[in-house]
Amino acid sequence: MHVQLGDGATTLVWIDTEEAIIVRWEDRATVERLHSDVEGRHRSSGNEGIGTSAEAMDHARREHLRRFLDEVVEHVPSAGDVTVVGPGLVRERLERSLRADDRRHGRVRHVRSSASDRVTEQELVAHVRALAGDAPRRRRLPV
């Protein structure tokens, strides 16, 4: 995808329940990783009471996820466009959280989201660079 979103900083966030990788582009890439304490989903062992333990675990998981998303929103720069990528619902929830935070603070910027499997840090840097409209320099091979 080679789309220029505008002048200035551009941010790409890859997120799942385990971590967020925030890649900013403003003349060069900076990468920040945030690790999550969100636990994976647990299956019932059959030893729990009538749903109370499973409900409590699900509530705790949702609360950890909410705190993780709040932390990610705090680390995303307030200026420049943002693209959120990653699998599943966490990506969609982060997009909604960023839009809500922008409304609260009266910010106007593009916040986009698209599904993505896990990618390498180099691929994320190349993607944010393309989003910023800065084509990579091609190396010339010696003749």
Side-chain angles (χ1 to χ4, degrees):
M1 174 189 319
H2 292 279
V3 177
Q4 186 163 350
L5 296 176
D7 296 331
T10 299
T11 302
L12 176 68
V13 181
W14 188 94
I15 189 166
D16 68 3
T17 57
E18 295 175 7
E19 73 175 333
I21 304 170
I22 303 168
V23 184
R24 296 177 198 89
W25 184 266
E26 191 171 8
D27 297 329
R28 67 180 183 84
T30 57
V31 179
E32 180 178 11
R33 290 179 177 264
L34 300 173
H35 295 281
S36 163
D37 63 355
V38 176
E39 294 182 19
R41 293 198 182 272
H42 297 284
R43 294 182 184 249
S44 173
S45 65
N47 296 328
E48 296 91 2
I50 306 177
T52 48
S53 182
E55 288 174 17
M57 288 172 33
D58 193 43
H59 177 73
R61 184 179 190 283
R62 283 193 312 268
E63 181 59 25
H64 285 163
L65 180 58
R66 185 193 61 76
R67 284 195 307 248
F68 176 55
L69 291 172
D70 288 348
E71 179 183 8
V72 174
V73 168
E74 288 177 19
H75 285 259
V76 171
S78 59
D81 297 330
V82 181
T83 301
V84 182
V85 296
L89 299 174
V90 177
R91 166 187 48 86
E92 293 170 0
R93 288 187 62 181
L94 178 60
E95 179 187 12
R96 285 192 303 270
S97 295
L98 286 165
R99 289 178 190 274
D101 191 58
D102 285 353
R103 279 191 302 275
R104 273 192 302 277
H105 293 94
R107 289 190 294 258
V108 178
R109 63 178 171 177
H110 294 280
V111 177
R112 295 182 173 88
S113 169
S114 64
S116 169
D117 291 329
R118 184 171 284 279
V119 291
T120 67
E121 191 172 298
Q122 281 183 309
E123 290 171 314
L124 291 171
V125 169
H127 191 92
V128 76
R129 187 175 189 171
L131 288 171
D134 188 356
R137 290 179 281 283
R138 303 282 182 201
R139 284 198 243 161
R140 292 184 180 224
L141 297 175
V143 181

